[in-house]
Amino acid sequence: MEGLRTVKSVLISVFDKSGLDKVVKVLDELGISIYSTGGTFSYITKLGIKVKTIEEITAYPSILGGRVKTLHPLVFGGILGRRDLESDQKEMQKYNIPEIDMVIVDLYPFEKTLTSTQDESEIIEKIDIGGISLIRAAAKNFKDVFIVPSSDHYEDALEILIENNGTTTLADRKEFATNAFNVSSHYDTAIFKYFNHEVGITTFRQSIHQSKMLRYGENPHQMGYFFGKLGENFEQLNGKEISYNNLNDLDAGVALIKEFSEPTIAILKHNNACGLASHSDLLLAWRHALAGDPVSAFGGVIVTNSVVNIKTAEEINKLFFEIILAPGYEQAALDILKSKKKRIILLERTKPSAAPEFQFKSSLNGVLMQQTDTKTEIIKDLDFVTDRKGNAEEISDLLFANKIVKHSKSNAIVLVKNKQLLASGVGQTSRVDALKQAIEKAKSNDFSLNGSVMASDAFFPFADSVEIAYKSGINTVIQPGGSIRDKDSVDYCNANGIAMAFTGFRHFKH
């Protein structure tokens, strides 16, 4: 094995002592000399294991309230000194610098501190200086030094030491050095983002440690991963492993359902709502949602903001679907839904949190980043530019439809009546085609469009859309406005008694 090194000495400096007892017992049994700092020294001493303080190397005490403990040439010289470089070895002998063959660090919990306090002084004190420096130094000199950068790596490190009687290979050390730079870069990113929240330097920097390998990506021949704490969003109560496409639909569904306060059910396929309805009776909300497009609902994802009762579960169970996500289930309802072993049943852990401030995706040889579209129109945003103004019921449906079209793939048209999605046309290259698609779909499901409302995610470049809508029975429209030919659409609406409101906000989604 290449580059064998026997660990004879180790420096330990950890904040969290969890699992450290097992580590130091193995090190002691292997006859490895242990050096340690402050609280870690006290902890190891109480275990009855021989340990030396770092001051025995530096002859210098911990100062400035513990801010400076290991930052000393005798410490970093012992870590960074190259064993196969004669000039380094001569200097180490000249200055009486002992070799340190292994470093174990667990950093101050900066990210955890951010979640527990807003006290800046407390947060700043949890920025680790000595620990991060030890990690980088040991990782840099991986040809000679074995670095264990966090408690997450204890088990793997012990396995190597035990199996090889205290010896490591070059491959071992390089792998752990890679882990070390992963830890240090993530830590620095968290600190930078804390400071930059106020300063606002324009840069793209993200770091997420937690990862989950998925069965595959969008297609079976593609690899797929999820980075993040998936378990914070929901608990899986039943079914097969969640896929990449499932997670995409869940993300779209959660974002959509957050828009509604009344009991609401949405059915999604390929990130678009193919059925959605609100009703005080959840069973009726389900029936109305399913009626919107019962064909597309097959194999879909169901999301609701209400506890699923037994009557609703009995009806939902008649449909083949991939996933259901709800804030709760009556036990009898859950038992019914669990009748299909592969069906994914998710329990929302917490109310959906605020949308992330920014969204990003890869593009060409870089990354596109934008603020998340958090704008949801309310009554005061509606500017009726026509002679006829919408009545209270129409305005309610306009706002309802606008919430749906905001979360539909562009070009998008949504048709609504009585808080029920009648049909939508999504992902079309022409707005007229999106409208025709929606009208055809509504008619195929035996819906009358008389008295319905239409929402568009962007302005109408010509009057043809409002003309087609009117001839199909639609008499109320919501759109952003902003076309140089808005007047053509307004004139047509006035000539035919259509109420049309401008919002001033476009909602493209690609």
Side-chain angles (χ1 to χ4, degrees):
M1 291 185 287
E2 185 184 358
L4 289 175
R5 291 285 188 272
T6 299
V7 177
K8 298 177 182 178
S9 61
V10 59
L11 170 58
I12 305 176
S13 181
V14 300
F15 180 87
D16 183 3
K17 312 300 187 293
S18 301
L20 185 61
D21 54 341
K22 184 177 178 181
V23 175
V24 294
K25 286 175 183 175
V26 170
L27 296 174
D28 185 55
E29 289 170 0
L30 290 170
I32 298 170
S33 297
I34 302 173
Y35 294 94
S36 184
T37 59
T40 308
F41 172 82
S42 299
Y43 176 83
I44 297 173
T45 300
K46 289 178 182 177
L47 294 174
I49 293 173
K50 187 177 179 181
V51 57
K52 301 174 184 178
T53 65
I54 197 66
E55 286 85 350
E56 291 188 42
I57 294 178
T58 65
Y60 215 92
S62 172
I63 60 173
L64 305 180
R67 281 188 164 196
V68 180
K69 294 189 286 285
T70 59
L71 296 170
H72 195 285
L74 293 178
V75 174
F76 281 85
I79 296 170
L80 288 165
R82 288 159 287 192
R83 290 11 175 203
D84 58 357
L85 189 63
E86 185 178 352
S87 58
D88 277 12
Q89 290 301 301
K90 285 182 178 180
E91 283 189 272
M92 292 178 75
Q93 290 174 9
K94 178 180 178 180
Y95 295 108
N96 197 28
I97 300 174
E99 291 182 348
I100 297 175
D101 305 312
M102 180 177 178
V103 176
I104 301 175
V105 176
D106 192 74
L107 297 168
Y108 289 168
F110 179 80
E111 288 181 283
K112 186 176 180 180
T113 303
L114 290 179
T115 65
S116 61
T117 183
Q118 295 182 340
D119 183 339
E120 186 177 84
S121 61
E122 186 176 345
I123 292 169
I124 296 303
E125 286 309 307
K126 287 300 185 290
I127 297 176
D128 205 315
I129 302 300
I132 205 79
S133 301
L134 290 171
I135 287 174
R136 291 176 63 83
K140 178 176 181 177
N141 200 25
F142 68 89
K143 287 187 176 180
D144 299 306
V145 180
F146 187 36
I147 172 63
V148 182
S150 79
S151 58
D152 292 337
H153 299 94
Y154 286 174
E155 288 297 326
D156 290 338
L158 286 182
E159 184 177 342
I160 290 170
L161 292 173
I162 292 170
E163 286 185 3
N164 298 292
N165 196 31
T167 298
T168 63
T169 67
L170 180 61
D172 292 332
R173 296 191 299 277
K174 193 167 187 177
E175 178 182 346
F176 273 72
T178 304
N179 288 326
F181 286 120
N182 185 28
V183 169
S184 65
S185 63
H186 176 83
Y187 196 78
D188 284 341
T189 295
I191 296 169
F192 167 76
K193 290 176 74 174
Y194 168 73
F195 279 91
N196 200 44
H197 187 75
E198 184 175 322
V199 177
I201 297 171
T202 302
T203 185
F204 179 79
R205 194 161 301 165
Q206 295 291 328
S207 178
I208 303 175
H209 267 329
Q210 297 80 9
S211 66
K212 175 180 174 61
M213 187 172 185
L214 305 172
R215 282 179 288 162
Y216 49 81
E218 203 161 8
N219 299 293
H221 63 277
Q222 296 171 269
M223 290 177 61
Y225 291 88
F226 176 83
F227 290 92
K229 298 178 181 178
L230 195 57
E232 288 184 354
N233 299 297
F234 45 73
E235 177 185 354
Q236 185 165 349
L237 306 178
N238 190 74
K240 61 185 179 182
E241 186 178 350
I242 298 174
S243 72
Y244 181 98
N245 291 328
N246 292 156
L247 290 172
N248 262 332
D249 281 331
L250 282 169
D251 179 65
V254 168
L256 174 59
I257 206 71
K258 282 194 297 187
E259 302 277 6
F260 301 91
S261 55
E262 296 178 75
T264 302
I265 293 183
I267 309 169
L268 288 92
K269 284 289 284 291
H270 299 289
N271 304 163
N272 294 299
C274 58
L276 189 149
S278 295
H279 199 285
S280 57
D281 184 336
L282 193 65
L283 176 58
L284 289 180
W286 165 250
R287 287 174 176 168
H288 293 168
L290 181 61
D293 192 346
V295 173
S296 295
F298 184 86
V301 170
I302 301 169
V303 181
T304 180
N305 58 6
S306 301
V307 174
V308 178
N309 56 49
I310 184 171
K311 289 184 179 180
T312 306
E314 287 173 341
E315 290 295 310
I316 291 175
N317 195 51
K318 296 175 182 178
L319 176 75
F320 169 75
F321 62 92
E322 286 267 331
I323 300 178
I324 182 168
L325 171 66
Y329 303 87
E330 292 180 359
Q331 185 58 52
L334 185 59
D335 292 341
I336 290 169
L337 295 172
K338 281 185 173 181
S339 62
K340 302 290 190 296
K341 290 183 179 180
K342 292 185 178 181
R343 177 183 288 161
I344 299 170
I345 302 174
L346 303 175
L347 175 66
E348 184 182 278
R349 284 196 180 276
T350 58
K351 284 293 178 186
S353 57
E357 186 177 0
F358 292 98
Q359 296 173 319
F360 48 86
K361 63 179 180 180
S362 60
S363 177
L364 300 175
N365 61 339
V367 174
L368 282 173
M369 184 170 75
Q370 66 173 353
Q371 286 183 314
T372 300
D373 183 1
T374 58
K375 175 63 181 177
T376 299
E377 285 74 12
I378 57 178
I379 291 177
K380 71 177 184 179
D381 292 316
L382 304 188
D383 177 18
F384 279 95
V385 292
T386 51
D387 296 335
R388 190 174 81 79
K389 316 302 179 187
N391 59 39
E393 191 173 286
E394 289 170 332
I395 289 173
S396 176
D397 274 348
L398 286 178
L399 294 174
F400 186 93
N402 207 56
K403 291 175 181 178
I404 301 173
V405 83
K406 169 187 170 183
H407 293 275
S408 301
K409 297 287 187 179
S410 300
N411 288 311
I413 294 289
V414 163
L415 308 180
V416 162
K417 186 175 181 180
N418 297 328
K419 297 182 180 179
Q420 178 186 16
L421 172 61
L422 303 183
S424 61
V426 298
Q428 299 301 303
T429 53
S430 159
R431 193 157 302 282
V432 168
D433 285 346
L435 174 57
K436 289 178 178 179
Q437 181 189 63
I439 292 170
E440 181 61 32
K441 185 171 287 189
K443 289 180 177 179
S444 70
N445 288 315
D446 297 323
F447 283 118
S448 169
L449 293 178
N450 292 330
S452 64
V453 308
M454 174 175 69
S456 175
D457 62 335
F459 64 65
F460 298 122
F462 304 101
D464 50 2
S465 291
V466 291
E467 181 180 352
I468 294 168
Y470 172 72
K471 290 179 179 179
S472 297
I474 298 161
N475 61 4
T476 314
V477 178
I478 186 170
Q479 58 137 320
S483 168
I484 59 173
R485 302 187 65 166
D486 275 344
K487 186 177 182 301
D488 293 352
S489 294
V490 173
D491 288 346
Y492 185 90
C493 288
N494 284 334
N496 293 279
I498 301 172
M500 183 164 65
F502 286 178
T503 66
F505 293 93
R506 189 180 73 185
H507 290 293
F508 270 167
K509 184 183 179 187
H510 297 104

